[in-house]
Amino acid sequence: MSTGGKISEQAYVTRLYGRLDELRAEAGTRLDAVLVATGLGHQGLAERDVAAAELARRAATLDSVENSLCFGRLDMLDDEARYIGRIGIMDGEGGFEPLLIDWRAPAARPFYVATARTPEGVRRRRHIRTSGRRVTGVLDEEFDGAAEPFGDSALLAAVGAARTGRMGDIVATIQAEQDAVIRSAHTGVLVVQGGPGTGKTAVALHRAAYLLYTRRERLARSVVLVVGPNATFLRYIGDVLPSLGETGVLLATVDQLYPGVAAERTEPPEAAGLKGDLAMAEVVAAAVRDRQRVPEEPVTVEHDGGALPLGPGLCRRARDLARGTGLPHNRARPVFRDLVLDGLAAAAGDRFGTDVLDGSSLLTAEDRAAIRAELAAEPTVLAALDALWPALTPQRLLADLLSSPERLASAAPGLTGRERALLLRPEGHRGWTAADIPLLDEAAELLGEDERVTRTAEESAAAERAEAVTLAQEALDTAYGSRSTDADEDEEAETLHAFDLLDAERLAERHVEADHRTPAERAAADRTWAFGHVVVDEAQELSAMAWRVLMRRCPARSMTVVGDIAQTGDPAGAASWERVLAPHVGTRWRGAELTVNYRLPAEIAAVADGVLRHIDPARRAPRAVRATEVRPWRVAAAPGELPATAARLAAGERDRVRDGTVAVVAPEPLVAAVAAALADEGAERVEVFDPRRAKGLEFDAVVVADPAGIVAASPRGLNDLYVALTRPTRRLGVVHAGPLPGPLRDLVPFTGGEADGGEADSATAAP
């Protein structure tokens, strides 16, 4: 390790932070100037507020990158020195000299890919460690061709550090195979397969930041969407993109992509798996068609004090023509209505007979129009139209479908009676499950907007606009029509005149309430928003119906999809990437694989590899880069004591890792009991998860409780066990009440004082 440059690095980093403060102060000054603007000049109130919001966001971005602003330096063969950091910073004299090169810029790429064999023009690579604004150490790698430099030291220090409960960025330690994925020029669907600990989540997030850097103008407007498996996971990764200077990204789960509806109810995994099957798309489509009825017998409606039959023939012709338009159900409804009214008006007109001489109707065109208008206002006609082709919301359609055995049997004849029983809501149950959201989204596509609601909204907006213009005109009339001697009022009128605000419509626009939301906030509230790029993490968990939701949100099919097929736990999850993507992009996608495991020590990786061989003997486990000489252990517990034993051991692990994080992973039915036992132990800082909620997370130490129960809980129980075993970065223990699953039978017993939570030296920390 070289420290010769530490003092000079401190001076340079101090200069960088000084420039950062200048940028922050500049943003603040401009913000103050905008806020004091009167809004009566060339910049109106709406524009002023939008500009102020943008400056405030810029200041927040500068704050977010403060930690480890500069983390590296490249000394090139031509003696050029390049400092690498989280954002790019130019000098403060109005010139173009880069003080700090953004890690995403092409000039920074050698920092990640240079080796002794392919030095990329680099003579020395320096890793700079900081604490706040103080340089605490530097590590140099010399590219003199004699041997591979020891750059792994910076990486190993990062992967071996204690976890904090929030994912950190890897911007200072990106490895070559990760960099290739992050900077991939592929513009379609890029699938990144990576085993546990390969950094696929971090790679996906850094790729999002990279794309925002290289395609800023387009993606800043259209927004990048990052999809995760659950809210816990999104909180875990929530700091990564802001730390890279990117705040205009929407993080969401699939069930959060339908604004106004929350998934508040749970259901059995088998029911959720059935709802996620692609066959449900046809079930929803059939449910819509079933609401476009043709009566078996004529329906009687009233007109002019008498009865008028509405027959099946007219209804069938109107239905077929309305369907033939290809419009969604609600938008095709006026077509059906008009055709039925035309038919009824013709039938009513025929009652008046024809001219005996030439057979022509005795009614004029005006008479027929009057009859049609009367029918359109007749309550019995309106009731018949609503019954035959009702206006529907997605919520009403799906609630009616899942609450009625008859409707479900009609829409899903291909399902067995048992499957339909699984789909039916329990009596009295309301609300939605996560698996319902893709079905609602499917229904929304097939139904379209109710034209009556759309028309009402447009009329309301027009009325508000007209009122604003009227008020603006009154203000102008007052300003110009009065002969006030008040100097202030005269000055205000002259100011209005000076800026030529004589048009009431323009004045109304200046005072309209501006939409201060960011593009990401607007996207979150708009079901039809088309995202510029979508990152899908833990993508193997998504059902076929969830993929239909995401493909609608990204019509350009620009996606980064990351996951591990071996970790698929959801009953409706992916068995292969080919089967997931074929319905949407065919073979037009590219795959990449991450092969190096940075999270798991070799001792834990060996245990996980045994499970992987049972899941898929052909799948290769990623290579672990480090060993700790701490072996995973097991403890047998009496069946009734398993939660308490797991809690006691986890509390002991919490003492051992000190500032690190500890979790218990248990089958879902055991989670509450373990949580209660942890509270009794006073180990509130230890968290407990079932395997599905633990997916994507990592901890310094993990205790897996009841591995046999995890395997038995799901048809993909071995996959869930694989997830549970691959969460720790340092220590792994297993607590069991019965026989262990085959791959775990070679774990060594837990011995000595540690079983009671006592301390042990490093040689006996795990037998």
Side-chain angles (χ1 to χ4, degrees):
M1 176 173 178
S2 168
T3 58
K6 187 172 180 179
I7 296 177
S8 63
E9 302 301 356
Q10 180 64 64
Y12 198 87
V13 169
T14 299
R15 181 185 177 196
L16 284 173
Y17 276 103
R19 180 65 183 126
L20 188 72
D21 289 339
E22 290 175 15
L23 291 171
R24 190 183 285 111
E26 180 183 338
T29 300
R30 291 174 59 199
L31 177 59
D32 290 341
V34 168
L35 291 176
V36 299
T38 64
L40 295 175
H42 296 294
Q43 183 185 54
L45 294 176
E47 293 89 341
R48 183 203 72 181
D49 291 344
V50 169
E54 179 57 36
L55 285 170
R57 285 192 290 272
R58 176 60 178 164
T61 298
L62 295 174
D63 288 339
S64 68
V65 300
E66 172 118 358
N67 186 43
S68 299
L69 175 65
C70 174
F71 53 79
R73 189 179 93 183
L74 292 172
D75 293 335
M76 311 303 290
L77 291 175
D78 61 2
D79 292 331
E80 175 194 4
R82 303 177 186 175
Y83 283 88
I84 314 301
R86 295 174 179 276
I87 61 172
I89 296 180
M90 306 300 287
D91 67 28
E93 306 302 324
F96 296 97
E97 177 193 353
L99 297 181
L100 190 65
I101 297 174
D102 193 299
W103 66 275
R104 296 164 289 191
R109 190 165 187 268
F111 186 80
Y112 300 109
V113 301
T115 67
R117 293 185 179 86
T118 56
E120 303 283 337
V122 177
R123 176 171 54 85
R124 178 191 298 118
R125 175 168 51 205
R126 171 166 290 181
H127 299 269
I128 303 172
R129 293 198 303 272
T130 59
S131 176
R133 300 189 174 197
R134 184 171 61 88
V135 175
T136 60
V138 295
L139 175 67
D140 284 350
E141 302 172 66
E142 302 289 343
F143 293 90
D144 56 8
E148 280 293 325
F150 45 92
D152 283 350
S153 299
L155 171 66
L156 294 177
V159 299
R163 267 44 186 177
T164 64
R166 304 280 284 189
M167 174 177 275
D169 62 65
I170 59 169
V171 65
T173 58
I174 294 170
Q175 300 300 292
E177 77 167 5
Q178 297 173 327
D179 186 76
V181 172
I182 291 169
R183 298 176 191 266
S184 172
H186 186 69
T187 57
V189 177
L190 174 64
V191 177
V192 184
Q193 164 70 35
T198 54
K200 54 186 177 292
T201 296
V203 166
L205 294 173
H206 286 67
R207 175 162 171 77
Y210 175 77
L211 292 175
L212 281 163
Y213 176 80
T214 56
R215 308 177 195 172
R216 174 75 61 191
E217 185 175 348
R218 182 173 69 86
L219 291 183
R221 293 193 308 269
S222 58
V223 183
V224 172
L225 169 67
V226 176
V227 177
N230 53 58
T232 301
F233 177 84
L234 294 181
R235 286 193 297 272
Y236 175 64
I237 69 172
D239 292 339
V240 175
L241 284 167
S243 75
L244 300 174
E246 300 297 346
T247 57
V249 176
L250 176 63
L251 275 63
T253 58
V254 172
D255 58 78
Q256 292 172 333
L257 295 179
Y258 195 98
V261 175
E264 300 172 336
R265 197 164 59 84
T266 60
E267 63 186 337
E270 194 174 0
L274 187 58
K275 289 179 179 179
D277 192 273
L278 189 59
M280 288 301 296
E282 176 52 34
V283 172
V284 175
V288 173
R289 291 194 297 270
D290 283 348
R291 305 303 288 268
Q292 300 164 358
R293 292 180 50 239
V294 172
E296 296 181 0
E297 300 292 336
V299 176
T300 300
V301 298
E302 296 180 5
H303 176 250
D304 199 23
L308 188 65
L310 174 56
L314 171 59
C315 293
R316 183 174 292 106
R317 287 192 300 275
R319 183 197 66 181
D320 292 346
L321 288 170
R323 285 180 175 176
T325 63
L327 295 171
H329 172 91
N330 286 328
R331 292 180 58 196
R333 184 174 181 270
V335 178
F336 174 81
R337 178 194 61 203
D338 289 344
L339 291 168
V340 170
L341 287 173
D342 289 344
L344 285 174
D350 290 343
R351 290 180 168 186
F352 291 91
T354 58
D355 190 294
V356 294
L357 297 178
D358 59 12
S360 61
S361 173
L362 296 175
L363 300 177
T364 64
E366 290 77 8
D367 293 332
R368 292 185 178 278
I371 292 174
R372 191 184 187 284
E374 292 169 358
L375 288 167
E378 169 57 49
T380 59
V381 173
L382 296 176
L385 290 172
D386 283 339
L388 296 173
W389 194 299
L392 293 169
T393 64
Q395 291 91 324
R396 177 184 169 189
L397 176 81
L398 195 60
D400 288 350
L401 175 67
L402 300 182
S403 302
S404 167
E406 295 77 21
R407 289 190 191 278
L408 196 54
S410 176
L415 298 182
T416 66
R418 180 178 177 279
E419 288 172 331
R420 291 199 293 270
L422 278 171
L423 291 177
L424 281 172
R425 286 182 172 190
E427 188 173 351
H429 280 229
R430 296 184 178 182
W432 305 104
T433 69
D436 288 331
I437 303 303
L439 304 185
L440 287 170
D441 198 71
E442 191 77 22
E445 286 295 303
L446 297 172
L447 293 175
E449 291 286 343
D450 183 347
E451 52 92 18
R452 296 175 302 180
V453 174
T454 303
R455 185 174 62 249
T456 300
E458 291 174 349
E459 291 171 349
S460 176
E464 291 179 3
R465 165 75 176 171
E467 182 179 4
V469 171
T470 299
L471 292 174
Q473 187 60 59
E474 291 176 357
L476 288 173
D477 290 345
T478 301
Y480 290 113
S482 66
R483 293 291 183 178
S484 171
T485 57
D486 188 288
D488 291 337
E489 291 184 8
D490 288 344
E491 182 178 352
E492 181 180 355
E494 289 176 7
T495 302
L496 287 168
H497 184 71
F499 288 106
D500 199 26
L501 293 180
L502 300 178
D503 186 278
E505 290 193 4
R506 290 176 61 194
L507 181 58
E509 288 173 0
R510 298 295 177 99
H511 292 274
V512 70
E513 185 176 350
D515 187 349
H516 302 300
R517 295 176 301 172
T518 65
E521 290 168 336
R522 292 199 298 272
D526 185 354
R527 193 195 70 82
T528 63
W529 189 278
F531 291 93
H533 189 81
V534 174
V535 175
V536 189
D537 204 351
E538 300 296 342
Q540 75 279 353
E541 298 304 309
L542 268 61
S543 70
M545 292 302 295
W547 278 108
R548 288 174 68 85
V549 174
L550 294 185
M551 292 298 173
R552 290 189 194 104
R553 301 302 190 276
C554 190
R557 302 295 191 263
S558 177
M559 291 183 166
T560 301
V561 175
V562 298
D564 180 14
I565 296 297
Q567 295 186 60
T568 303
D570 195 287
S576 73
W577 298 122
E578 291 80 3
R579 290 179 59 182
V580 163
L581 297 172
H584 308 288
V585 296
T587 60
R588 300 184 306 279
W589 57 277
R590 187 173 77 80
E593 186 168 7
L594 299 175
T595 62
V596 181
N597 161 28
Y598 305 101
R599 177 196 302 149
L600 304 179
E603 296 83 359
I604 297 176
V607 176
D609 292 352
V611 177
L612 180 61
R613 285 194 294 272
H614 280 71
I615 296 172
D616 183 356
R619 192 167 293 280
R620 183 180 63 178
R623 173 179 59 85
V625 299
R626 64 193 176 102
T628 61
E629 299 183 2
V630 179
R631 299 171 62 190
W633 47 263
R634 63 178 172 85
V635 168
E641 295 298 318
L642 196 150
T645 303
R648 185 171 67 254
L649 290 164
E653 292 297 289
R654 185 73 185 83
D655 293 337
R656 289 179 184 84
V657 300
R658 293 183 173 86
D659 294 333
T661 57
V662 179
V664 178
V665 182
E668 196 278 332
L670 205 63
V671 167
V674 173
L678 286 168
D680 291 341
E681 286 286 333
E684 291 84 357
R685 289 186 298 168
V686 177
E687 298 185 88
V688 57
F689 300 93
D690 61 67
R692 188 165 301 180
R693 289 183 59 236
K695 197 157 292 181
L697 307 181
E698 61 181 9
F699 309 91
D700 290 272
V702 170
V703 174
V704 177
D706 192 16
I710 290 175
V711 173
S714 164
R716 287 174 164 164
L718 273 176
N719 300 55
D720 288 339
L721 179 60
Y722 185 58
V723 171
L725 295 171
T726 54
R727 299 307 96 199
T729 65
R730 294 160 61 185
R731 300 175 60 84
L732 171 67
V734 171
V735 181
H736 61 103
L740 284 167
L744 303 185
R745 289 173 186 166
D746 292 336
L747 288 176
V748 296
F750 193 63
T751 61
E754 271 196 299
D756 298 319
E759 289 295 334
D761 61 32
S762 60
T764 61

